[in-house]
Amino acid sequence: MFSIDEEGRLAALREYAIMDTPPEAAFDRIVALAADLFDAPIAAMTLIDSDRQWMKSIVGLDGNETPREHAFCRYTILGDEVLVVPDAEQDDRFRDNPLVLEDPNIRFYAGAPLRLRSGHRLGALCVIDRTPRAPLSEVEKRRLQTLANVVVNEMDLRLMAERYAMATRRAEAATEAKSEFLANMTHELRTPLTSVIGFNALLAASPDLPEREKGMALKAKTASEKLLTIVNDVLDLAKLEAGAAEVGGEPIDVGPVVRSAVELFTERAAEKGLALHLHVADVLPRAAVDPARLRQVLVNLIGNAVKFTAKGEIAVSASVSGGEIQLAVRDTGVGIPEQNLGRVFERFEQGGAAISREFGGTGLGLAISERLARQMGGEITVESKVGHGSTFTVILPAA
Ligand code: ADP
């Protein structure tokens, strides 16, 4: 019966995952156009399954399925030509067909195969009448085939959209799983770590302990505190990547937030002999951000500036430019080599082993800050020159 690769054909049909799906406007429009163009009371987009014919779209008839052996379209998919049956009663193939003998009493049929690029024909776009008709002209056949080709294009688009959606869903699920794992793990690490820090602090403060052991307990405390910082940063980053961090809020004045972040470093800057300047513009728009998160970003940037500057000054400013709020942290420190500038916002990115040993840190601060800024609807830019200093600028949209 089949001169075709039926197995491959059915596999192709499965791949489109279109059988028994709800109606879709794209296909309904084409089928309606075919009915209109050929002035036919019935038109359909059919797909031939192993033992049934299923209509993705149909006009002029109720029901959307027939046994395969009753389907006119089962003949259409045997070739690449438009199949025309001018009068089914005169045709041996269809004379005894229940669809001819009974409702809907098909007489005229014209169907163009839905042919894939691979050559598989999955079904047909057909127009049907209850009275016999003259055969289609070549032009009419071409028109019907063109419409059938449009149907196949739509099926391809649908398949690609489906694949894309699936890939996106998979990627999202993977990110979520990873973030959840990180969040859980860091949480599990935090609790014991906190008691390590606490007991080392107790040990270090114990009057009965010899000086040498006290020093060791103190070192252990410092080391575990550093570890806790890393664990907290990783947790923070995981939350940000999972989109679970709350960064927005009611519009606030950013001036006081900038001021409080700067004040935190007054002492440390003075210890290092650095001047610490702050300039806040008289008039600033408000920003719809969580003040604690904005402060976290600024503390990070100012902390880095103080950390990486041996002499000179740190200048922090809040101004408005082009309707955007600009919070700049400028230092006269070591600067960042041009080849590293693009990478400073990446996780665990540090300016070389020597620098991180010298200055300490986790290499997560900027990654977190940059994500926070982005989730606030803004960004962080950086300009730097080795030996001269760096400027990190937080740009925030005005609320
Ligand atoms: P950390 O400071 O914990 O190492 P960050 O993510 O905050 O991590 O910074 C990443 C790297 O970017 C730093 O290790 C440093 O090399 C470089 N960097 C950041 N801020 C400055 C700055 N103000 N001046 C010079 N280098 C900086």
Side-chain angles (χ1 to χ4, degrees), residues 233 300-309 314 329-331 333-337 340 343-352 355-356 359-369 382 384 389-392:
D233 279 357
N300 236 315
L301 296 183
I302 303 168
N304 276 347
V306 173
K307 185 160 71 171
F308 294 107
T309 305
I314 317 289
V329 179
R330 184 169 54 77
D331 67 52
V334 291
I336 302 165
N340 293 352
R343 296 210 317 262
V344 288
F345 296 112
E346 285 169 26
R347 286 173 282 187
F348 301 109
E349 192 55 52
Q350 295 187 311
I355 284 195
S356 49
F359 295 99
T362 63
L364 286 172
L366 284 180
I368 291 171
S369 302
V382 55
S384 189
S390 317
T391 304
F392 284 83

Side-chain angles (χ1 to χ4, degrees), residues 47 137 156 254:
L47 295 161
S137 69
D156 284 336
V254 295

Side-chain angles (χ1 to χ4, degrees), residues 199-256:
F199 284 120
N200 274 312
L202 279 179
L203 262 185
S206 153
D208 327 324
L209 212 63
E211 276 314 304
R212 204 171 80 99
E213 276 72 12
K214 253 189 204 172
M216 285 174 164
L218 215 52
K219 277 200 180 117
K221 176 174 168 275
T222 310
S224 39
E225 274 168 353
K226 183 171 178 205
L227 194 53
L228 185 61
T229 312
I230 299 176
V231 167
N232 281 335
D233 279 357
V234 170
L235 180 62
D236 218 14
L237 199 57
K239 268 200 217 150
L240 279 169
E241 287 184 349
E246 198 47 65
V247 301
E250 293 297 308
I252 55 154
D253 279 333
V254 295

Side-chain angles (χ1 to χ4, degrees), residues 236 239 245-247 290-297 372 376:
D236 218 14
K239 268 200 217 150
E246 198 47 65
V247 301
D290 177 342
R293 287 307 207 167
L294 178 58
R295 187 167 184 275
Q296 181 184 356
V297 172
L372 279 172
M376 290 171 182

Side-chain angles (χ1 to χ4, degrees), residues 53-65:
Q53 158 176 267
W54 182 76
M55 281 81 135
K56 172 69 180 170
S57 174
I58 182 158
V59 296
L61 269 189
D62 292 335
N64 58 3
E65 197 171 305

